[in-house]
Amino acid sequence: MLNAWHLPVAPFIKQRQDKLMITLWLRGDDLPQRVTMRAEVDNEETTVPMRRSGKSPVADVVQWRAEIALHEGQPRRRYAFKLLWDDRQLWFAPKGLSAFPPAKLELFAYDCPDDSPQWVSEQIFYQIFPDRFARSQKRSEQQDKVYHHHAAGHDIILRDWDEPLTAEAGGSTFYGGDLDGISEKLPYLKALGVTALYLNPVFTAPSVHKYDTENYREVDPQFGGNDALLRLRHNTQREGMRLILDGVFNHSGDTHAWFDRHQRGDNGACHHASSPWRDRYSFSAEGKALDWLGYSSLPKLDYQSSTLIDEIYGGEDSIVRHWLKAPWSMDGWRLDVVHMLGEAGGAKNNLKHVAAITQSAKAARPDAFVFGEHFGDARQWLQQDAEDSAMNYRGFTFPLWGFLANTDISYDPQKIDAQTCMAWMEDYRAGLSHQQQLRMFNQLDSHDTARFKSLLGRDVARLPLAVVWLFCWPGVPCIYYGDEVGLDGNNDPFCRKPFPWHESQQDQTLLALYQRLAALRKATPALRHGGCLVLYAEGDVVVFLRVLGAERVLVAINRGESCEVTLPISPLLAVSGWQRREGEGQQADATLSLPAISATVWTAH
């Protein structure tokens, strides 16, 4: 039997001046007589001969080595290995051994140089829905001003923090969370291990969720206005925390002065064909504005308009650049439904505009982090570097839901075993470079989904397994506010409950798990930068290995009954001794004894 090992990290990759040294490990009874590497220069396939090394890191392992010149070609270095015998061949790529050449987008990929923000993979993010996280002690009466919410057809509703959330008026019910409240809770977030915040929209808008923007250049007065955001920015900088804003550039709200459905001005595009902003929206032949998915309060922006482009991302003081510059100095943007953004009421020329938004952000701040919201497959945006990263629903959240909660994003039943789950996740990862994988935005849930705790239902004992997975899988973990203390809730609006600040309402055991895993990730470079190898995936059990140089992290997830698992023999498991860092599993040589419904983490060098 032939086995092959390669990950796009040390010890398999080393950079020496203007060359990338690449190593393949092989072990077996019938080793190939020759090995070549399929690489490319400016998208042209090229064959690079590999040489067999006399040195071996582990007994019975044969090394083959080759070099990629870094003075030519594109920064994304794609490659695979071709194993040759007198009468046959095999190929080795991220999805394993194959009898035929892997597709271009299923090759190993390593970015060298990597111009995307290097700080991202170091972070632990925390997503905050501002109205529901924390109400500041100094909140003013003006911030609780009642107004008529046209889209809802009634005045907004104000509730006390401890009043239960109901289905009534989900988009216009306010609890009074604000930006100064977030500032006051930074010590809590720091103790949790959080290093970066992602805020749902903060700009002026009539709804509680603020995805119906009324003014892109003003922070909503209910949240404390521009001054409160500036205070939060200064406070996060003092604590060494990053801060990401939510950019809603696919549509505006119908109360925006550009559109002005309710005629608070006298020149809005909704009612005036001669409006200077008319071309920023698309209209049917009957004069009806095209909207986002049937929501009339969310008219689509039309990027055929040169003045819209200039205002949103093209100009020196465009909205994208404005908030990244001093005094705001935000660290980047999360782009809402960005795959739908485009021209003529649809997504025409989408990639062009998304890439331009990213480029504009980096013109204002070279290390800005720009990532998109994609519930579907985000890889076409990532493979063309239109974004730095994406919310990793398809490559992380949904496979994990299917394996642990037996549901899909439509809340239809989906019961998958470990082999299916890993095939799904590995297939998705194979289309991304190593560095992109490390920047993918991993979450268990968000403001747009039911809470994972609620999805689990009677299987809530599996919740800690998901938390371990979140912190140990390639990508940057993001905690949706309240998940760490056991906040539950079904789909919108119930996934947006106020944060329970009374300790009696919090799951302290779960909170302690989050704190331990955040500390483990911070102390373990392999969890932030390492490659990932799935060692075992059968039935109820998933075991994977993170590798960086001589460092190893072994993670075992068992959703079922207690069991013993025998891992395949691998030179990457040849370490002097494992230290258990989380969980109750036992390890002896290649055998793991795993308790029922458990997650265990070991480290070694």
Side-chain angles (χ1 to χ4, degrees):
M1 182 178 179
L2 179 67
N3 289 299
W5 294 275
H6 176 83
L7 294 170
V9 294
F12 299 99
I13 280 188
K14 295 179 181 178
Q15 184 176 352
R16 291 181 181 170
Q17 298 174 340
D18 62 345
K19 293 180 180 178
L20 200 61
M21 316 296 293
I22 296 178
T23 303
L24 172 69
W25 292 1
L26 295 175
R27 176 191 278 163
D29 297 327
D30 185 17
L31 293 173
Q33 292 154 330
R34 287 189 300 129
V35 178
T36 62
M37 184 168 65
R38 179 271 188 213
E40 61 182 37
V41 177
D42 295 332
N43 300 321
E44 175 69 14
E45 293 188 14
T46 183
T47 298
V48 180
M50 300 192 76
R51 61 187 182 278
R52 182 168 173 167
S53 171
K55 298 180 181 179
S56 176
V58 184
D60 300 327
V61 169
V62 175
Q63 292 190 78
W64 289 82
R65 290 179 174 166
E67 301 169 354
I68 291 179
L70 298 178
H71 67 276
E72 60 182 356
Q74 300 304 303
R76 183 147 300 140
R77 314 291 171 171
R78 301 186 190 276
Y79 58 94
F81 304 100
K82 185 179 185 182
L83 284 54
L84 291 158
W85 292 260
D86 283 340
D87 58 350
R88 69 188 192 282
Q89 63 180 248
L90 284 176
W91 291 80
F92 183 64
K95 295 170 75 171
L97 290 165
S98 169
F100 56 87
K104 175 185 176 72
L105 298 180
E106 293 183 349
L107 304 175
F108 290 107
Y110 185 83
D111 295 332
C112 190
D114 176 23
D115 294 330
S116 289
Q118 301 299 303
W119 57 267
V120 173
S121 60
E122 300 284 346
Q123 308 307 308
I124 294 171
F125 273 86
Y126 192 86
Q127 179 190 347
I128 294 177
F129 194 84
D131 181 69
R132 306 291 166 80
F133 181 63
R135 183 183 176 98
S136 64
Q137 296 178 2
K138 58 183 180 181
R139 185 177 175 87
S140 69
E141 291 184 8
Q142 186 65 22
Q143 287 176 258
D144 290 328
K145 183 180 179 180
V146 174
Y147 56 86
H148 188 74
H149 187 189
H150 289 279
H154 55 71
D155 288 350
I156 64 166
I157 297 168
L158 303 180
R159 286 189 176 153
D160 291 333
W161 200 259
D162 293 324
E163 285 187 73
L165 184 65
T166 69
E168 176 193 8
S172 52
T173 297
F174 290 80
Y175 280 83
D178 53 31
L179 300 180
D180 285 323
I182 299 172
S183 283
E184 291 170 7
K185 298 300 183 181
L186 290 181
Y188 163 82
L189 294 171
K190 194 167 184 180
L192 176 59
V194 168
T195 61
L197 304 183
Y198 148 49
L199 307 183
N200 286 108
V202 298
F203 303 121
T204 302
S207 71
V208 68
H209 53 71
K210 308 296 179 198
Y211 284 98
D212 48 348
T213 313
E214 186 172 300
N215 189 332
Y216 289 101
R217 295 185 182 270
E218 295 292 334
V219 175
D220 198 291
Q222 288 179 302
F223 293 162
N226 287 6
D227 290 344
L229 182 61
L230 194 56
R231 285 192 290 271
L232 178 59
R233 173 71 287 200
H234 291 159
N235 291 333
T236 52
Q237 286 174 326
R238 188 183 64 247
E239 297 292 348
M241 289 184 179
R242 302 283 182 163
L243 186 58
I244 300 289
L245 297 181
D246 205 330
V248 189
F249 305 136
N250 170 69
H251 53 266
S252 75
D254 65 357
T255 61
H256 197 295
W258 300 342
F259 194 80
D260 193 22
R261 182 186 299 280
H262 309 293
Q263 296 183 279
R264 293 186 293 185
D266 58 7
N267 212 11
C270 182
H271 301 288
H272 300 279
S274 61
S275 169
W277 305 301
R278 182 79 172 189
D279 70 342
R280 297 186 181 187
Y281 300 92
S282 297
F283 292 84
S284 68
E286 295 74 30
K288 182 180 184 296
L290 304 184
D291 55 41
W292 179 68
L293 296 182
Y295 293 97
S296 60
S297 62
L298 303 176
K300 277 271 292 185
L301 293 169
D302 187 346
Y303 283 84
Q304 291 181 108
S305 167
S306 60
T307 65
L308 177 68
I309 289 174
D310 190 62
E311 175 67 12
I312 296 292
Y313 69 77
E316 184 63 31
D317 193 40
S318 62
I319 292 156
V320 166
R321 299 189 194 191
H322 173 80
W323 295 101
L324 300 181
K325 295 178 181 179
W328 312 103
S329 302
M330 297 298 164
D331 291 293
W333 290 99
R334 177 264 195 188
L335 302 178
D336 181 59
V337 291
V338 69
H339 52 285
M340 301 185 74
L341 178 151
E343 301 172 8
K348 182 180 179 182
N349 288 326
N350 173 269
L351 275 167
K352 165 188 166 184
H353 294 293
V354 177
I357 288 172
T358 300
Q359 290 161 9
S360 178
K362 293 180 186 301
R365 178 169 187 149
D367 70 341
F369 179 38
V370 181
F371 64 102
E373 178 202 24
H374 300 274
F375 273 84
D377 192 337
R379 288 176 294 182
Q380 64 173 308
W381 289 268
L382 299 171
Q383 287 157 352
Q384 298 189 51
D385 294 313
E387 304 165 345
D388 291 315
S389 173
M391 299 183 80
N392 201 14
Y393 287 112
R394 186 60 65 95
F396 176 79
T397 311
F398 297 161
L400 189 144
W401 280 18
F403 182 66
L404 294 179
N406 302 325
T407 188
D408 69 6
I409 183 55
S410 300
Y411 308 108
D412 292 325
Q414 184 179 43
K415 199 166 188 176
I416 61 176
D417 60 13
Q419 187 174 11
T420 304
C421 180
M422 286 295 94
W424 184 348
M425 295 173 86
E426 289 292 272
D427 179 77
Y428 199 83
R429 277 203 313 133
L432 302 173
S433 74
H434 171 67
Q435 290 88 339
Q436 286 177 317
Q437 293 176 32
L438 299 179
R439 290 190 296 268
M440 290 301 282
F441 203 79
N442 294 341
Q443 293 183 276
L444 300 180
D445 46 30
S446 74
H447 67 290
D448 282 325
T449 73
R451 298 265 182 178
F452 186 69
K453 180 179 179 180
S454 294
L455 292 177
L456 286 169
R458 289 176 296 179
D459 291 320
V460 70
R462 294 177 175 179
L463 182 56
L465 282 59
V467 179
V468 169
W469 213 329
L470 175 67
F471 281 87
C472 294
W473 191 252
V476 58
C478 180
I479 305 163
Y480 181 42
Y481 83 97
D483 276 359
E484 75 277 15
V485 295
L487 195 59
D488 62 4
N490 289 317
N491 211 3
D492 176 23
F494 297 103
C495 56
R496 305 173 182 181
K497 293 179 181 179
F499 190 101
W501 286 108
H502 298 297
E503 287 192 13
S504 61
Q505 299 173 310
Q506 298 177 358
D507 184 337
Q508 294 294 316
T509 301
L510 184 61
L511 177 61
L513 174 64
Y514 271 90
Q515 290 172 324
R516 291 196 305 273
L517 288 168
L520 177 62
R521 182 179 173 87
K522 182 178 180 181
T524 311
L527 290 179
R528 306 192 304 275
H529 303 288
C532 182
L533 180 67
V534 176
L535 296 174
Y536 184 94
E538 292 184 23
D540 294 324
V541 178
V542 169
V543 183
F544 60 90
L545 185 71
R546 299 297 302 275
V547 176
L548 185 66
E551 188 176 44
R552 306 284 184 270
V553 182
L554 183 65
V555 182
I557 308 287
N558 176 23
R559 71 177 182 185
E561 300 297 323
S562 60
C563 63
E564 284 196 350
V565 168
T566 301
L567 300 179
I569 297 173
S570 169
L572 292 173
L573 293 175
V575 296
S576 57
W578 293 99
Q579 180 183 0
R580 190 174 63 193
R581 306 297 296 273
E582 185 62 50
E584 301 298 329
Q586 302 291 327
Q587 185 270 342
D589 296 325
T591 300
L592 305 181
S593 300
L594 305 177
I597 313 180
S598 67
T600 309
V601 182
W602 297 267
T603 61
H605 288 83

